[in-house]
Amino acid sequence: KRGAILISGGGSNMVALLEAARDPSFPVEFVAVVSDKANAGGLAKAEALGVKATVFERRTYGSKADHEQAILDHLAAEGVEFLCLAGYMRLVSGSFIRPFEGRIINIHPSLLPLFPGLHTHQRAIDAGMKVSGCTVHHVTEGMDEGPVIAQAVVPVLTGDTAEALAARVLTAEHKLYRTAVTRLFGAGTATDDRQMLISLG
Ligand code: GRF
């Protein structure tokens, strides 16, 4: 399957996916990286890994719809059939999702449905959680609420700062994302949204 990765920042999850895709048995070949930010650190990392990276700055488009359409046109031109959002900090609309229905996924740094949105690590600490983790899920119009594909659990340690927990979760994200993609395509036929993979990070 021809895939693309959408980023807005450093792209460490993108790097993990691109490195996993070097294995010929990995079910996705990533042919494009797209960023909505020209200053995304992940752009140079993608090029260094041999994948063309293209910027679509939001402010150069008159509307969200125009911005999304420009990205969709680029993805269509590259024959992309599968999308991984990886640190892409923008909500995508229903008309963006529709052409990729069931084939657009995201990674979120919490155990959804707990802590959708931002600042997940501080919120987990403040709530007194003893575990946290990350979730790969199907992307739907709502924020961080699509069917869960896979989750990884990490401990919250006494005295953890948000930064310490974020680093621990990020390591688990890098492993989870490639495992989730493999399972999504590898195991069986249609993606059974209830197909749950629990891996202890
Ligand atoms: C990660 O925690 C990811 O889950 C969140 O953004 C953070 C940075 O991701 N969406 P990356 O290093 O840009 O992949």
Side-chain angles (χ1 to χ4, degrees):
K1 263 240 191 301
R2 292 172 66 85
I5 305 171
L6 273 62
I7 64 169
S8 297
S12 70
N13 277 292
M14 171 202 72
V15 169
L17 286 172
L18 294 181
E19 286 178 350
R22 284 179 162 161
D23 179 333
S25 70
F26 194 74
V28 178
E29 178 202 4
F30 291 108
V31 298
V33 167
V34 164
S35 174
D36 63 329
K37 293 265 185 283
N39 63 353
L43 291 164
K45 295 174 192 169
E47 297 282 346
L49 287 164
V51 180
K52 185 170 70 171
T54 312
V55 178
F56 293 87
E57 278 271 5
R58 169 67 184 81
R59 59 184 153 75
T60 63
Y61 295 88
S63 66
K64 179 182 177 73
D66 289 351
H67 181 238
E68 290 190 337
Q69 193 55 55
I71 295 172
L72 285 174
D73 293 348
H74 173 66
L75 295 174
E78 298 291 332
V80 170
E81 315 156 86
F82 180 70
L83 285 189
C84 291
L85 307 187
Y88 187 67
M89 305 310 274
R90 196 173 292 277
L91 287 179
V92 290
S93 73
S95 49
F96 186 88
I97 295 167
R98 239 173 315 283
F100 290 100
E101 196 77 51
R103 293 174 292 116
I104 173 171
I105 65 176
N106 178 48
I107 191 158
H108 177 77
S110 79
L111 293 174
L112 292 173
L114 290 176
F115 315 121
L118 300 174
H119 312 303
T120 61
H121 308 298
Q122 191 56 57
R123 289 159 63 198
I125 292 166
D126 294 348
M129 297 296 293
K130 293 304 175 199
V131 293
S132 188
C134 45
T135 303
V136 176
H137 63 95
H138 288 283
V139 172
T140 55
E141 288 188 64
M143 179 181 64
D144 301 330
E145 61 177 32
V148 170
I149 296 165
Q151 296 189 297
V153 178
V154 304
V156 179
L157 303 175
T158 310
D160 259 348
T161 59
E163 291 70 27
L165 181 54
R168 192 173 309 122
V169 170
L170 194 58
T171 301
E173 290 178 48
H174 297 160
K175 237 168 83 208
L176 182 69
Y177 218 158
R178 62 173 177 265
T179 305
V181 172
T182 305
R183 294 299 171 88
L184 199 59
F185 287 95
T189 53
T191 56
D192 166 2
D193 288 338
R194 288 177 306 287
Q195 175 191 359
M196 191 76 153
L197 167 86
I198 296 284
S199 62
L200 292 174

